[in-house]
């Protein structure tokens, strides 16, 4: 059947069909033939397909055979694409051999087919020639030409055949495969050129015979080779085996021989064909691979560290070495195929798996310094583990390799060594601490031995040398900012004069960036563990200074501040010249010594301040006693004089005027004392609101106008802008201006003048009070605004007072966000006080500032004599004089008054009749005003009525006011109270005065 007559389906189906038959035959005969031999069955389908269907069919059959070989013949069996290195090489070789066989068979088939066709054509032409020789003689020439063309075509066909043979030879050379054919009948063997090259023989030599082939085989392999060939001739099965050959040049090569028997028509073996492949290099590589694997396995198995391998997906163990078995306590067979959860607690297994996932995700080595693991027979062990991923050829994680070292014993030794080091260190530190405590105790004893700190500090520097330093100095800051060297101690007494000379020639620069000046500025210690020459060069003033510093041999230094009340007042310097290097412990000791020295300085200064305060207190009490007794003497004298008979009427008027004036003076003194008390305790009351400034100043002028006129002093107001307004307490600001004017009037001689100037400057307003008085000594100017300070505090002073007015002025001004300053050209040349306050021009945010009106001048009824007419008032006061005074005052305003001296009498009076108002003292003998208020509220509640109440008491503190109001009183008035103030308070509380602004400071004066 010609090639055209063959079915295309049959051409391409015969190969897969033959493969299926071979696979079935393999599955049935594999137990008998072995695992490797059925692999040769696939060559026959390739040859059959290429012989019958041509190259295309052979290529397709080769591809199908490769897949079938991978699935059925290469381990792991029955899988596709799971290669190891050996199986991959085998498959590639099989494909190369299949391709070679396919091309060779196809080429041989085409050559034979063309040869047969040519022979048939020649026969046909000869027959036609014989038949037509007579009839077509004329056509002979044309026929000869056709014959020549056919001959040329045959030659071309033969040329293509030769080219195909060359291609086959090239393919065989590349694959190191040669083909052979043995004619069993004639005993002639035909080799391809590649086979000649493999055997090292010349193709031009004598014809190869079977004996030539056998003689080339190594003697050790001849018998086995002949046995395999003989068996193949008898059973007709393909064979495949490897053997060694001896080349003429002495080289030994290893060949992989494959072949099969072709039977003749009589059923007897006629030919045997096959291939021989030089696998010497492959076998050498395989042998090297085996040796390498054996070497690596030996290393892995004999390493003392545990080595394990996990598959990347399920993280199951695929390998363990002997050290891993010994460590975990499980046989290797029990570990392989399991995961961490099969051997370890869940928490521990979770930790291992998380680390494994991290390694696979990051793709790099992970070092786990300490990893506790629970073993079967050794308990908990500490491992140091390293894990790294292993990848396949596609870069995908295939395995995870881990190496673990058991560091349990090493950790125990380290812990024991650390414990020993800690004990030794603790012992050394304890000894050093004891020495430091002894040193500090001695220093503390020295510092506590005297309140004269300067000589004491000098002894402390001597104590520090040589126990802490070779050279110790103490420097203090003076008030003018200069630095004074207080004490110097040196291990070499001869260098003391030399050190003093250095300090004299090179005094400390307060602006230096380092050293004592820097420590005094920052309050932070400085330590120099090692003083280099560069540091000396940077600190030197000149070459001579640098030479001196180098000669000293400074090696290490510390500078610590002496801090008193959060402010550095000095520094202690410790210098080492004998090789000692200061560290943190030395700095801590130096700072503690400096802290105790600073505490001694502070104690000495506090002692001096206490002495000064005691002296000032004595002087102040003497002044207070004098200032309070002076008006009291006038009040008492005139009161006694008025009690005598026959006093002239003009004398009575003068006496009453003197009593009122002195009582006002005494009340002002007490008010100043109370204001100072409020300032000290932070309880000074401020009622901040927008207010015009001009009325405040004018009212203060009005208050002191009479005093100025009495001395013939001219008051000159200069208000630049009457519309100026500020945000502040009008009454307190009036107090500021009034105090400044009073002070100016007091110290200005008769006929002088006082100018008060009010003017805006930028965003502030200035109030300047300038007098032509006695002036202020220059040395007293810094103390003008201090409490209880007066330029003349002697018993012979001309001007009285407590020295509190200007201190109150400064505090009130600062409370308003302003400043107050004083200037004086000198004694006898007057003084100027300048108050600077934030300005609030024009209208304020809340509207037009309210006109200032002092509390004592609030709106009142035109006729106050009948303001309380018919009002029933119960007065409770245990002091008879005060009780009679209040009763007389209220009766004068037409009130019906019942005055009692105890709580019980008050309760009886409330029960008898319902008074309209209760005025009660707080501090009374027996039961106080709080008890009274509680009982009155009980009685009033039982009878179903309420009574307004005013507390009139000498307790004037803020907490007293709060307690009074909490007890049920509606108002709190402090003694002494002005009659008008008491009347207005009663009128407001009882509704006798219409609703209006009566002044909160009047009805609820600030608590002390």
């Amino acid at each position: 059947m010609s090639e055209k007559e063959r079915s295309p389906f049959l051409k391409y189906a015969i190969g897969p069909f033959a493969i299926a038959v071979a696979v079935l035959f393999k599955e049935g005969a594999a137990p008998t033939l072995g695992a490797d031999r059925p692999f040769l069955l696939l060559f026959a389908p390739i040859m059959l397909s290429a012989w019958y269907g041509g190259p295309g069919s052979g290529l397709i059959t080769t591809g199908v055979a490769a897949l079938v070989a991978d699935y059925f013949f290469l381990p792991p069996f029955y899988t596709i694409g799971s290669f190891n290195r050996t199986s991959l090489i085998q498959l590639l070789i099989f494909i190369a051999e299949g391709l070679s066989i396919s091309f060779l068979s196809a080429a041989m088939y085409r050559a034979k087919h063309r040869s047969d066709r040519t022979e048939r054509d020649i026969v046909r032409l000869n027959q036609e020639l014989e038949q037509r020789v007579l009839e077509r003689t004329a056509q002979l020439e044309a026929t000869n030409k056709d014959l020549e063309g056919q001959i040329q075509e045959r030659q071309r066909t033969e040329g293509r055949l030769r080219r195909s043979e060359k291609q086959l030879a090239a393919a065989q050379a590349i694959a190191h495969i040669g083909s052979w054919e043995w004619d069993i009948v004639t005993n002639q063997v035909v080799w391809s050129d590649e086979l000649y090259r493999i055997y090292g023989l010349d193709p031009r030599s004598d014809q190869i015979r079977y004996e030539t082939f056998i003689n080339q085989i190594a003697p050790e392999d001849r018998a086995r080779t002949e046995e395999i060939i003989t068996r193949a001739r008898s059973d007709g099965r393909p064979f495949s085996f490897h053997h060694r050959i001896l080349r003429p040049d002495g080289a030994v090569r290893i060949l992989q021989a494959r072949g099969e028997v072709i039977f003749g028509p009589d059923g007897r073996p006629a030919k045997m064909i096959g291939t021989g492949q030089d696998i010497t290099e492959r076998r050498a590589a395989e042998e090297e691979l085996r040796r390498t694997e054996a070497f690596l396995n030996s290393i892995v198995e004999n390493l003392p560290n545990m080595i394990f391998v996990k598959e990347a997906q399920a993280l199951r163990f695929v390998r363990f070495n002997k050290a891993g078995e010994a460590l975990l306590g499980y046989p290797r067979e029990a570990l392989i195929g399991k995961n961490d959860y099969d051997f370890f607690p869940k928490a521990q297994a979770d930790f291992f798996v998380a680390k494994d996932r991290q390694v696979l995700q990051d793709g790099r080595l992970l070092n786990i310094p300490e990893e506790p693991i629970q073993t079967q027979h050794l308990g908990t062990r500490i491992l140091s583990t390293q894990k790294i991923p292993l990848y396949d050829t596609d870069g995908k994680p295939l395995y995870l390799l881990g190496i673990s070292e058991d560091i349990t014993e090493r950790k125990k030794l380290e812990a024991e060594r650390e414990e020993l080091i800690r004990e030794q260190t603790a012992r050394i530190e304890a000894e050093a601490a004891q020495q430091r405590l002894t040193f500090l105790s001695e220093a503390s004893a020295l510092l506590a031995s005297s309140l004269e700190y300067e000589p004491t500090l000098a002894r402390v520097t001597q104590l520090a040398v040589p126990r802490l330093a070779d050279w110790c100095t103490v420097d203090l800051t003076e008030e003018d900012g200069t630095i004074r060297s207080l004490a110097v101690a040196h291990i070499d007494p001869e260098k003391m004069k030399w050190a003093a000379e250095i300090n004299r020639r090179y005094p400390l620069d307060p602006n230096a960036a380092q050293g004592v000046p820097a420590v005094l500025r920052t309050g932070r210690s400085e330590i120099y563990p090692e003083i280099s020459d560069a540091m000396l060069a940077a600190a030197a003033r000149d070459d001579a200074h640098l030479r001196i510093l180098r000669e000293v041999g400074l090696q290490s230094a510390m500078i610590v501040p002496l801090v008193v009340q959060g402010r550095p007042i000095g520094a202690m310097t410790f210098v080492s010249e004998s090789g000692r290097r200061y560290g943190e412990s030395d700095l801590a000791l130096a700072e503690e010594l400096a802290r105790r020295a600073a505490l001694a300085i502070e104690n000495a200064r506090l002692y001096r301040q206490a002495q000064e305060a005691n002296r000032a207190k004595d002087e102040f009490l003497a002044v207070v006693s004098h200032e309070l007794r002076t008006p009291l003497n006038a009040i008492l004298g005139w009161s006694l004089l008025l009690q005598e008979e026959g006093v002239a009427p003009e004398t009575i008027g003068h006496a009453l005027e003197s009593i009122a004036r002195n009582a006002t003076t005494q009340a002002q003194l007490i008010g100043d004392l109370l204001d100072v008390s409020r300032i000290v305790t932070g309880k000074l009351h401020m009622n901040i609101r927008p207010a015009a400034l001009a009325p405040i100043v004018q009212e203060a002028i009005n208050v002191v106008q009479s005093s100025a006129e009495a001395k013939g002093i001219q008051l000159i107001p200069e208000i630049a802008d009457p519309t100026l307004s500020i945000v502040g307490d009008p009454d307190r600001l009036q107090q500021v201006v009034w105090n400044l004017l009073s002070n100016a009037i007091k110290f200005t001689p008769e006929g002088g003048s006082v100018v008060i100037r009010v003017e805006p400057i930028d965003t502030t307003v200035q109030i300047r009070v300038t007098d032509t008085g006695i002036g202020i000594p220059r040395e007293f100017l810094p103390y003008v605004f201090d409490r209880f300070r007066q330029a003349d505090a002697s018993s012979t002073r001309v001007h009285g007072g407590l020295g509190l007015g200007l201190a109150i002025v400064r505090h009130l001004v600062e409370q308003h966000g302003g400043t107050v300053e004083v200037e004086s050209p000198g004694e006898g040349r007057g003084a100027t006080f300048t108050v600077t306050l934030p300005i609030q021009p024009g209208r304020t945010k809340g509207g037009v500032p309210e006109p200032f009106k002092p509390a004592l001048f609030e709106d009142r009824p035109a006729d106050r004599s009948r303001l309380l007419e018919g009002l029933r008032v119960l007065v409770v006061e245990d002091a008879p004089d005060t009780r009679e005074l209040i009763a007389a005052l209220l009766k004068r305003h037409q009130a019906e008054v019942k005055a009692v001296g105890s709580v019980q009498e008050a309760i009886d009076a409330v029960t008898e009749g319902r008074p309209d108002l209760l005025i009660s003292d707080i501090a009374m003998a027996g039961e106080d005003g709080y008890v009274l208020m509680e009982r009155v509220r009980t009685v009033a509640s039982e009878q179903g009525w309420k009574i307004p109440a005013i507390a009139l008491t000498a307790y004037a503190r803020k907490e007293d006011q709060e307690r009074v109001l909490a007890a049920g009183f509606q108002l709190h008035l402090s003694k002494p109270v002005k009659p008008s103030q008491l009347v207005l308070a009663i009128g407001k509380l009882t509704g006798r005065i219409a609703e209006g602004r009566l002044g909160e400071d009047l009805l609820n004066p600030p608590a002390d």
Side-chain angles (χ1 to χ4, degrees):
M1 184 173 56
S2 66
E3 185 174 355
K4 293 183 178 180
E5 295 173 343
R6 295 174 183 172
S7 170
F9 172 79
L10 187 60
K11 289 170 57 178
Y12 290 97
I14 190 170
F17 176 78
I19 291 174
V21 172
V23 170
L24 293 176
F25 182 79
K26 178 264 177 185
E27 291 295 314
T32 303
L33 298 178
D36 57 339
R37 294 174 182 173
F39 188 77
L40 300 175
L41 294 175
L42 298 179
F43 286 104
I46 295 174
M47 295 178 63
L48 179 61
S49 176
W51 180 266
Y52 185 83
S57 178
L59 290 176
I60 294 176
T61 305
T62 301
V64 175
L67 294 175
V68 171
D70 180 27
Y71 188 83
F72 288 96
F73 298 102
L74 294 179
F77 299 107
Y78 309 113
T79 59
I80 295 294
S82 299
F83 304 114
N84 54 32
R85 183 176 179 182
T86 302
S87 61
L88 180 61
I89 293 173
Q90 291 177 350
L91 184 60
L92 293 176
I93 293 172
F94 172 76
I95 293 173
E97 293 173 348
L99 293 176
S100 301
I101 292 171
S102 177
F103 282 106
L104 178 60
S105 298
M108 292 175 64
Y109 171 77
R110 285 195 299 271
K112 183 178 180 304
H113 174 74
R114 289 168 183 165
S115 176
D116 291 344
R117 186 178 62 185
T118 302
E119 291 177 357
R120 287 195 301 271
D121 290 339
I122 292 173
V123 171
R124 180 176 55 80
L125 290 174
N126 287 334
Q127 290 175 353
E128 290 178 355
L129 182 61
E130 290 175 357
Q131 292 175 1
R132 298 177 183 178
V133 66
L134 296 176
E135 300 174 353
R136 301 180 63 179
T137 302
Q139 298 177 354
L140 180 60
E141 185 176 356
T143 304
N144 288 335
K145 290 181 179 180
D146 291 339
L147 181 59
E148 289 176 359
Q150 293 176 5
I151 293 173
Q152 290 176 358
E153 176 65 23
R154 180 176 179 180
Q155 290 175 347
R156 286 194 293 272
T157 301
E158 291 176 351
R160 287 194 293 270
L161 178 60
R162 284 193 294 273
R163 286 195 297 273
S164 298
E165 289 175 349
K166 289 181 179 180
Q167 292 176 355
L168 177 61
Q172 290 179 345
I174 294 173
H176 300 291
I177 297 177
S179 60
W180 52 267
E181 180 178 339
W182 175 33
D183 190 329
I184 300 175
V185 177
T186 63
N187 197 27
Q188 296 297 317
V189 179
V190 178
W191 279 357
S192 66
D193 292 342
E194 180 64 18
L195 203 57
Y196 277 102
R197 189 196 64 78
I198 293 174
Y199 276 83
L201 298 177
D202 187 356
R204 295 171 298 179
S205 61
D206 294 339
Q207 190 174 11
I208 303 299
R209 300 176 64 82
Y210 175 73
E211 289 75 16
T212 306
F213 161 72
I214 292 297
N215 292 333
Q216 291 289 112
I217 298 175
E220 296 85 357
D221 296 340
R222 286 177 188 169
R224 185 170 65 90
T225 301
E226 289 182 324
E227 179 185 354
I228 293 174
I229 293 175
T230 301
R231 187 170 57 247
R233 291 177 61 182
S234 62
D235 57 22
R237 293 180 179 179
F239 58 85
S240 176
F241 66 98
H242 65 272
H243 58 85
R244 290 167 293 174
I245 64 172
L246 299 177
R247 291 171 39 143
D249 58 3
V252 178
R253 308 299 291 181
I254 302 175
L255 267 66
Q256 179 72 37
R258 294 184 176 88
E260 61 178 316
V261 178
I262 298 176
F263 294 89
D266 56 358
R268 300 178 63 182
K271 293 182 180 181
M272 185 175 289
I273 62 173
T275 60
Q277 182 179 9
D278 187 351
I279 61 171
T280 307
E281 285 76 13
R282 189 181 77 186
R283 292 298 299 269
E286 292 175 352
E287 185 63 26
E288 180 63 25
L289 178 60
R290 282 193 294 269
R291 286 197 300 269
T292 302
E293 289 180 349
F295 175 71
L296 293 177
N297 286 335
S298 177
I299 292 176
V300 170
E301 289 300 320
N302 291 283
L303 279 176
N305 296 340
M306 178 177 70
I307 299 179
F308 58 91
V309 179
K310 296 180 180 179
E311 57 175 334
Q313 298 302 320
L315 295 177
R316 297 186 180 276
F317 294 107
V318 297
R319 180 162 186 179
F320 262 96
N321 65 347
K322 291 188 295 186
E325 288 183 297
L327 177 62
L328 297 181
Y330 295 97
R332 201 173 317 193
E333 295 75 13
L335 295 169
I336 302 302
K338 303 295 181 62
N339 58 30
D340 293 306
Y341 292 97
D342 295 324
F343 304 101
F344 308 116
K346 183 178 183 304
Q348 197 172 65
D350 288 339
F351 174 80
F352 295 155
V353 171
K355 293 299 182 182
D356 293 343
R357 295 298 183 194
Q358 180 182 348
V359 172
L360 295 172
Q361 180 178 357
D362 296 344
R364 62 173 182 267
L365 176 70
L366 175 65
N367 184 28
I368 307 173
E370 294 185 17
E371 185 179 48
I373 188 170
Q374 188 68 31
T375 65
Q376 186 181 30
H377 60 302
L378 298 177
T380 300
R381 308 296 289 179
I382 305 298
L383 304 183
S384 176
T385 301
Q386 291 181 321
K387 297 181 177 181
I388 190 170
L390 303 177
Y391 299 94
D392 59 14
T393 55
D394 295 330
K396 296 181 179 178
L398 188 62
Y399 297 106
L400 183 142
L401 171 65
I403 303 176
S404 298
E405 179 186 1
D406 187 353
I407 60 172
T408 307
E409 302 304 326
R410 187 176 74 191
K411 295 296 293 184
K412 289 181 180 179
L413 291 176
E414 290 176 355
E416 293 174 358
R417 183 169 64 253
E418 290 175 358
E419 181 63 26
L420 179 60
I421 292 174
R422 281 197 296 270
E423 291 177 358
Q424 294 175 346
T425 303
R427 182 165 59 252
I428 294 172
E429 291 179 350
E431 294 174 356
Q434 183 61 40
Q435 293 176 358
R436 290 195 295 269
L437 288 176
T438 301
F439 171 69
L440 291 174
S441 298
E442 295 177 7
S444 297
L446 273 178
L447 293 170
S449 62
S450 173
L451 289 173
E452 296 296 329
Y453 65 85
E454 294 189 2
T456 302
L457 287 177
R459 290 197 297 272
V460 169
T461 59
Q462 296 171 358
L463 179 65
V465 174
R467 299 173 68 172
L468 187 56
D470 300 321
W471 186 2
C472 181
T473 63
V474 177
D475 299 282
L476 295 182
T477 304
E478 299 293 346
E479 292 184 359
D480 59 358
T482 60
I483 302 174
R484 176 171 63 94
S485 178
L486 176 64
V488 179
H490 200 285
I491 193 172
D492 184 0
E494 295 298 327
K495 290 188 176 181
M496 293 290 292
K497 297 180 180 179
W498 172 82
E501 179 65 17
I502 290 181
N503 290 335
R504 185 188 66 79
R505 292 177 58 185
Y506 303 101
L508 294 173
D509 180 8
N511 299 320
Q514 290 181 326
V516 172
V519 171
L520 291 176
R521 286 195 305 272
T522 64
R524 293 191 296 270
S525 302
E526 291 184 358
I527 182 171
Y528 305 94
E530 184 172 357
I531 299 177
S532 63
D533 188 72
M535 296 172 64
L536 295 178
R541 307 280 181 85
D542 51 35
D543 293 341
H545 193 196
L546 177 60
R547 186 173 59 257
I548 294 173
L549 294 177
R550 286 172 174 170
E551 291 175 356
V552 174
L554 306 178
Q555 296 178 349
S556 188
M558 298 182 296
I559 307 174
V560 295
L562 297 170
V563 181
V564 174
Q565 296 180 355
R567 184 175 64 89
I569 64 165
M572 295 186 71
T573 303
F574 304 87
V575 180
S576 169
E577 302 175 2
S578 56
R580 180 173 184 173
R581 297 292 186 270
Y582 290 127
E584 294 300 326
S585 60
D586 298 313
L587 181 62
L589 178 60
E591 289 178 339
E592 179 61 23
L593 177 62
R595 188 187 68 80
R596 300 190 183 196
L599 184 61
I601 295 174
E602 184 178 12
N603 290 338
R605 291 188 175 183
L606 289 176
Y607 175 72
R608 292 179 184 178
Q609 292 175 2
Q611 288 182 321
E612 192 70 27
N614 283 333
R615 184 165 56 253
K617 180 189 67 175
D618 294 339
E619 293 178 357
F620 169 69
L621 291 177
V623 172
V624 170
S625 176
H626 174 270
E627 294 298 324
L628 291 178
R629 287 175 180 273
T630 298
L632 183 61
N633 181 70
I635 294 172
L636 181 61
W638 283 111
S639 299
L640 294 175
L641 181 62
L642 291 176
Q643 293 178 12
E644 297 179 358
E645 296 181 359
V647 180
E650 61 274 12
T651 302
I652 294 174
H654 180 70
L656 292 176
E657 181 182 351
S658 177
I659 290 173
R661 184 171 60 254
N662 282 276
T664 301
T665 300
Q666 193 172 48
Q668 181 61 43
L669 292 174
I670 295 173
D672 287 345
L673 289 173
L674 293 176
D675 277 345
V676 170
S677 175
R678 296 184 187 109
I679 291 171
V680 171
T681 58
K683 298 179 179 179
L684 185 67
H685 179 76
M686 300 287 287
N687 184 16
I688 303 298
R689 60 182 183 272
L693 188 58
I696 294 174
V697 175
Q698 188 59 51
E699 186 59 37
I701 293 174
N702 294 339
V703 172
V704 300
Q705 186 68 48
S706 59
S707 300
E709 292 175 353
K711 295 181 66 175
I713 296 174
Q714 184 180 7
L715 292 178
I716 306 173
E718 297 180 357
I719 300 177
D721 185 359
T723 65
L724 285 176
S725 64
I726 61 173
V727 176
D729 186 330
D731 291 328
R732 292 300 183 184
L733 290 174
Q734 185 210 4
Q735 185 178 359
V736 168
V737 179
W738 179 83
N739 274 350
L740 292 177
L741 291 175
S742 297
N743 183 76
I745 293 171
K746 179 167 52 172
F747 291 102
T748 299
E750 294 184 359
S753 64
V754 176
V755 178
I756 177 169
R757 181 178 292 105
V758 180
E759 58 182 346
I761 298 179
D762 295 332
T763 59
T764 62
V765 62
Q766 280 192 353
I767 304 173
R768 298 170 63 89
V769 177
T770 303
D771 62 61
T772 59
I774 63 175
I776 303 173
R778 183 175 302 275
E779 62 273 11
F780 187 71
L781 281 175
Y783 309 105
V784 167
F785 297 103
D786 290 354
R787 295 192 298 269
F788 313 124
R789 294 294 293 267
Q790 292 179 320
D792 183 8
S794 65
S795 60
T796 60
R797 60 181 178 157
V798 177
H799 305 283
L802 298 177
L804 298 177
L806 293 180
I808 295 172
V809 166
R810 180 175 66 179
H811 180 79
L812 292 177
V813 170
E814 290 176 351
Q815 287 293 97
H816 284 80
T819 59
V820 60
E821 299 174 349
V822 61
E823 300 174 4
S824 177
E827 295 187 47
R829 303 176 64 182
T832 299
F833 289 83
T834 304
V835 175
T836 303
L837 297 170
I839 195 171
Q840 181 68 29
R843 294 176 177 270
T844 63
K845 185 176 181 181
V848 180
E850 297 181 17
F852 171 71
K853 185 175 290 186
L856 296 179
F857 298 94
E858 296 291 342
D859 297 333
R860 303 167 186 168
D863 183 10
R864 292 184 297 164
S865 61
R866 308 185 68 85
L867 179 63
L868 306 181
E869 182 176 4
L871 186 67
R872 292 173 297 171
V873 181
L874 173 62
V875 177
V876 184
E877 172 64 64
D878 62 344
D881 292 340
T882 304
R883 184 170 65 243
E884 292 175 1
L885 173 63
I886 296 174
L889 172 63
L890 298 181
K891 288 178 181 179
R892 184 180 177 187
H893 289 78
Q894 308 302 317
E896 298 177 9
V897 181
K898 181 173 182 61
V900 298
S902 66
V903 172
Q904 186 56 48
E905 291 176 339
I907 295 301
D908 294 340
V910 169
T911 305
E912 292 175 359
R914 300 180 180 179
D916 300 319
L917 178 67
L918 171 64
I919 300 176
S920 174
D921 190 11
I922 295 299
M924 295 183 291
E927 296 176 304
D928 58 16
Y930 299 120
V931 176
L932 170 63
M933 195 63 214
E934 182 179 359
R935 296 179 63 181
V936 167
R937 291 171 66 182
T938 301
V939 173
S941 176
E942 292 175 353
Q943 297 181 2
W945 58 280
K946 295 181 179 180
I947 179 174
I950 298 175
L952 182 60
T953 174
Y955 291 125
R957 297 176 304 173
K958 180 66 175 178
E959 52 266 34
D960 295 326
Q961 177 179 335
E962 293 174 353
R963 186 180 178 187
V964 163
L965 297 178
F969 291 93
Q970 278 69 46
L971 287 178
H972 170 276
L973 297 178
S974 58
K975 297 177 182 178
V977 63
K978 293 183 179 181
S980 59
Q981 181 181 358
L982 178 60
V983 171
L984 288 173
I986 294 173
K988 172 67 176 177
L989 191 59
T990 58
R992 296 298 178 97
I993 297 178
E995 290 296 332
R997 191 174 70 85
L998 290 177
E1000 291 300 322
D1001 289 340
L1002 171 67
L1003 300 182
N1004 291 291
D1008 297 333

